């Protein structure tokens, strides 16, 4: 194809004949029509005498012309109008003309074959030459070259655009601009939407995670509150449970002691006028002597103890050795006297006969003593211990405010006698003077039951537990339970004022771990 002022595209459409329905884009100076393979448009004429071109369509500047070479054997019609060329004069063609080529003579018995060709030509305006591009339109097999079809389509689009009215071209141009802008705007909007959606999703996930953490914290706090409420409920109800489970392991300790000098003489009253009186008179003089002629002197004592291992009882030292803190003892020892236990027994609530005790260990730092007994075949509850560790050098944990339970025999047997409803038994006991006699009778009647009081730890002072559970002097040696049902201390002392009256809420107890050294020395298990 040569681009310039004489160049134009020629489209030949075969409307009938052997090539019916086919279109040929021919980019050359002439399109030949005839019989044989050498022609551009082939006529299918059976029995044709000669082969060759019978006509040609040529470009001439700004028009197309039909040149007839064989008017003797073929007739030519332009738009169904017969044309007979004169002296080889070409026939002018215009865009859209339909050329019909028909043989004048055909073989006998055959229908005349007519070939209709439609010519489409669009001359190009004058333009400066920019170069030459040449390539074959049809290959050796008669097929269109791919580039020919591509260029035709491009030229067809340009032709259609040129035929459009101005306003259509303006609309097309506007759409050409607006459509990409719309696509870009839609893309930006979609991107912004997706970005905001992703951000919102992440925020929701973050809030969900935070909510999950808060829910976990609330559930944990709720669990703590439930456990605390459970502890409170147990603290409210722990007294009956502890009393029912362990009061059988709390005992009343009753005994008597006296003194002997180096010659084994017993301590006696000065004479019979002093019999059964106190060893020390109100004016501070001794009513007893190793040279006395009255009755032999005996001192009764009582307190509380509890079982911590099979055959092992813990109590206060001032109970197992009642002279330990007695001011009278110093006066008697100055006379050469030495105390010794005549008898010491333990009375348990569910047993009618007492058990003989044997003091085997005394703490040198604390008011704690360890005694043993032979339980035989009897089953006596063992109280569990909470020592908060067995290292006495370490401070106790802060247990201030914790609920406690005290179980023992305050005021010995006198309180139990006063609480009796059996009048005859009460009168019989009141006529007896010895504590041991009253204790054995109460045990036989099943009335020897430890008293239970409740309170709280008020503070810790110098390794002592201060509490406000009600007790009396006879309550020494009583176990102190926490709300978990474990023994944390041994009741040891009540605080009195200058007049001898008890100061409420200031009772002292020895931490139970003070007894661990004695337990280790005897080979007994720790709590």
């Amino acid at each position: 194809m040569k681009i310039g002022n004489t160049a134009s595209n020629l489209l030949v459409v075969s409307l009938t004949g052997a090539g019916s329905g086919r279109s040929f884009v021919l980019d050359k100076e002439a399109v030949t029509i005839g019989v044989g393979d050498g022609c551009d448009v082939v006529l299918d004429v059976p029995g044709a005498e000669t082969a060759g071109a019978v006509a040609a369509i040529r470009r001439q500047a700004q028009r197309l012309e039909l040149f007839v070479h064989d008017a003797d054997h073929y007739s030519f019609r332009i738009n169904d109008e017969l044309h007979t060329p004169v002296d080889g004069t070409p026939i002018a063609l215009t865009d859209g003309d339909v050329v019909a080529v028909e043989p004048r003579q055909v073989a006998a018995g055959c229908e005349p074959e007519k070939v209709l060709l439609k010519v489409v030509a669009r001359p190009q305006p004058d333009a400066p030459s920019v170069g030459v591009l040449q390539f074959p339109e049809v290959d050796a097999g008669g097929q269109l070259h791919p580039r020919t079809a591509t260029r035709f389509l491009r030229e067809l689009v340009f032709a259609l655009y040129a035929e459009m009215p101005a306003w259509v071209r303006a609309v097309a141009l506007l759409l050409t601009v607006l459509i990409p802008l719309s696509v870009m705007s839609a893309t930006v909007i979609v991107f912004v939407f997706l970005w905001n959606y992703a951000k919102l999703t992440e925020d929701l996930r973050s809030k969900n995670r935070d909510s999950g953490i808060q829910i976990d914290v609330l559930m944990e706090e709720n669990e703590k509150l439930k456990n605390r409420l459970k502890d409170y409920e147990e603290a409210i109800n722990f007294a009956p449970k502890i009393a029912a489970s362990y009061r059988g392991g709390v005992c009343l300790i009753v005994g008597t002691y006296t003194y002997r000098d180096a010659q084994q003489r017993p301590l006696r009253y000065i004479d019979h006028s002093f019999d059964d009186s106190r060893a020390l008179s109100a004016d501070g003089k001794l009513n007893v002597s190793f040279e006395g002629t009255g009755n032999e002197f005996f001192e009764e004592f009582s307190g509380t103890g509890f079982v911590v291992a099979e055959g092992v009882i813990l109590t206060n030292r001032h109970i197992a050795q009642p002279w330990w803190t007695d001011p009278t003892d110093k006066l008697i020892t100055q006379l050469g006297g030495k105390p010794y236990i005549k008898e010491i027994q333990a009375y348990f609530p569910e047993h009618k006969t007492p058990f003989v005790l044997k003091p085997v260990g005394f703490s040198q730092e604390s008011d704690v003593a360890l005694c043993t007994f032979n339980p035989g075949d009897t089953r006596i509850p063992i109280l569990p211990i909470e020592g908060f560790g067995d290292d006495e050098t370490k401070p106790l944990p802060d247990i201030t405010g914790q609920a406690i339970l005290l179980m023992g025999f305050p005021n010995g047997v006198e309180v139990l006698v006063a609480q009796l409803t059996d009048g005859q038994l009460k009168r019989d006991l009141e006529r007896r003077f010895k504590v041991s006699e009253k204790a054995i009778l109460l045990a036989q009647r099943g009335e020897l039951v430890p008293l239970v009081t409740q309170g709280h730890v008020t503070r810790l002072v110098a390794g002592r537990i201060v509490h406000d559970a009600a007790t009396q002097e006879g309550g020494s040696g009583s176990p102190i339970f926490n709300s978990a049902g474990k023994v944390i201390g041994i009741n040891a002392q009540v605080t009195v004022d200058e007049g001898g009256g008890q100061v409420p809420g200031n009772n002292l107890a020895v931490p139970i771990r003070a007894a661990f050294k004695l337990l280790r020395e005897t080979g007994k298990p720790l709590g």
Side-chain angles (χ1 to χ4, degrees):
M1 174 180 179
K2 183 179 179 180
I3 301 175
N5 58 354
T6 61
S8 64
N9 291 328
L10 176 61
L11 176 65
V12 177
V13 181
S14 179
L15 300 181
T16 62
S20 175
R22 295 185 63 186
S23 299
F24 303 93
V25 178
L26 304 177
D27 192 6
K28 54 186 4 181
E29 293 300 324
V31 176
T32 58
I33 304 170
V35 179
D37 294 336
C39 299
D40 295 322
V41 179
V42 178
L43 298 177
D44 187 10
V45 181
E49 296 180 358
T50 61
V54 297
I57 300 175
R58 296 183 180 182
R59 291 193 186 88
Q60 297 294 331
Q62 296 299 318
R63 68 175 184 171
L64 298 173
E65 296 176 340
L66 175 63
F67 288 87
V68 178
H69 301 313
D70 188 355
D72 296 332
H73 296 89
Y74 296 90
S75 62
F76 299 87
R77 293 180 180 274
I78 308 300
N79 297 329
D80 206 26
E81 180 180 350
L82 180 64
H83 282 263
T84 302
V86 179
D87 299 328
T89 302
I91 303 171
L93 298 176
T94 60
D95 188 11
D97 286 346
V98 177
V99 179
V101 180
E102 181 179 359
R104 294 181 180 276
Q105 296 179 358
V106 295
C110 296
E111 293 291 332
E113 183 73 19
K114 179 172 60 176
V115 176
L116 296 180
L117 301 177
K118 184 174 182 180
V119 178
V120 179
R122 187 174 186 80
Q124 295 182 351
D126 293 341
S129 177
V130 296
V132 177
L133 177 63
Q134 296 182 348
F135 57 88
E137 293 82 1
V138 182
D139 58 16
Q143 300 297 321
L144 288 176
H145 196 281
R147 293 186 182 180
T148 302
T150 302
R151 186 161 58 187
F152 165 71
L153 292 176
R154 185 174 66 247
E155 294 295 338
L156 180 60
V157 171
F158 289 157
L160 292 176
Y161 178 78
E163 292 294 333
M164 291 180 182
W167 67 271
V168 175
R169 288 197 296 269
V171 171
L173 181 61
L174 181 62
L175 292 176
T176 303
V177 175
L178 289 180
I179 288 175
L181 289 177
S182 300
V183 172
M184 292 178 61
S185 300
T187 303
V188 172
I189 292 173
V190 171
F191 175 78
V192 172
F193 172 77
L194 292 176
W195 186 80
N196 290 331
Y197 177 78
K199 185 177 180 181
L200 178 61
T201 303
E202 184 60 30
D203 291 342
L204 291 176
R205 289 176 179 174
S206 178
K207 291 180 179 179
N208 187 44
R209 287 193 295 268
D210 294 340
S211 299
I213 294 174
Q214 293 178 358
I215 290 174
D216 292 340
V217 171
L218 290 175
M219 290 182 67
E220 184 177 354
E221 292 295 330
N222 182 53
E223 192 65 25
K224 290 181 180 179
L225 290 175
K226 287 170 63 178
N227 293 335
R228 193 173 301 171
L229 179 60
K230 183 179 179 181
D231 293 340
Y232 288 154
E233 291 177 349
E234 291 179 353
I236 293 173
N237 301 320
F238 77 101
K241 294 180 181 178
I242 293 176
S245 299
Y246 299 117
R247 63 186 173 190
V250 179
C251 63
L252 172 67
I253 298 176
V254 177
T256 58
Y257 72 98
T258 187
Y259 291 87
R260 293 185 184 275
D261 63 4
Q263 289 79 33
Q264 295 299 309
R265 291 182 300 174
L267 186 65
R268 294 179 179 276
Y269 289 101
I270 295 176
D271 55 42
H272 289 293
S273 63
F274 293 95
D275 288 351
D276 298 327
S277 63
R278 301 287 298 176
L280 190 65
S281 62
D283 57 2
K285 295 181 180 180
L286 285 173
N287 297 326
V288 292
S289 172
F290 290 105
E291 291 85 12
T293 59
N295 291 333
E296 187 176 352
F297 170 79
F298 291 101
E299 186 75 32
E300 281 194 314
F301 62 92
S302 66
T304 303
F306 56 95
V307 179
V308 294
E310 186 175 357
V312 179
I313 289 177
L314 285 181
T315 186
N316 292 131
R317 181 176 179 180
H318 75 264
I319 293 176
Q321 291 183 335
W323 56 85
W324 184 49
T325 57
D326 188 351
T328 307
D329 175 71
K330 294 181 180 180
L331 298 175
I332 297 175
T333 54
Q334 289 175 0
L335 298 176
K338 184 178 180 181
Y340 75 95
I341 297 291
K342 181 181 180 182
E343 65 177 2
I344 181 170
Q345 297 175 322
Y347 294 82
F348 287 94
E350 299 176 0
H351 301 278
K352 295 182 179 181
T353 57
F355 295 86
V356 177
L357 290 184
K358 180 182 179 181
V360 295
F362 305 96
S363 173
Q364 300 302 317
E365 299 84 13
S366 303
D367 190 5
V368 180
L370 187 147
C371 303
T372 60
F373 70 101
N374 183 11
D377 296 332
T378 59
R379 298 180 62 86
I380 299 176
I382 297 175
L383 278 58
I385 294 175
E386 173 58 87
F388 302 112
D390 58 355
D391 188 354
E392 297 181 42
T393 63
K394 293 183 179 180
L396 290 173
D398 188 6
I399 56 175
T400 302
Q402 288 190 9
I404 60 171
L405 179 144
L406 184 65
M407 188 184 302
F409 297 91
N411 286 334
V413 296
E414 301 302 328
V415 173
L416 299 177
V417 173
Q419 294 176 352
L420 289 174
T421 58
D422 187 337
Q424 183 61 45
L425 177 59
K426 186 175 183 180
R427 287 188 293 270
D428 291 342
L429 289 171
E430 288 174 346
R431 286 195 294 266
R432 298 176 185 270
F433 296 102
K434 290 186 176 182
V435 176
S436 58
E437 294 177 350
K438 295 179 181 181
I440 190 66
L441 190 55
L442 287 171
Q444 291 174 353
R445 297 295 182 91
E447 297 290 347
L448 194 67
V449 179
L451 301 180
V452 175
T453 57
Q454 290 182 254
H456 296 81
V457 176
T458 56
R459 56 179 176 158
L460 299 175
V461 178
R464 298 286 187 90
I465 299 173
V466 184
H467 66 92
D468 58 4
T471 185
Q472 297 293 332
E473 292 184 6
S476 295
S478 300
I480 296 178
F481 293 88
N482 60 13
S483 60
K486 292 187 176 183
V487 178
I488 62 173
I490 306 171
N491 194 45
Q493 183 181 345
V494 294
T495 305
V496 296
D497 55 21
E498 294 180 355
Q502 184 176 349
V503 180
N506 284 274
N507 307 315
L508 300 179
V510 180
I512 191 65
R513 74 180 182 186
F516 282 6
K517 182 178 180 181
L518 294 176
L519 291 170
R520 283 194 296 266
E521 290 174 353
T522 58
K524 302 299 180 183
L526 300 179

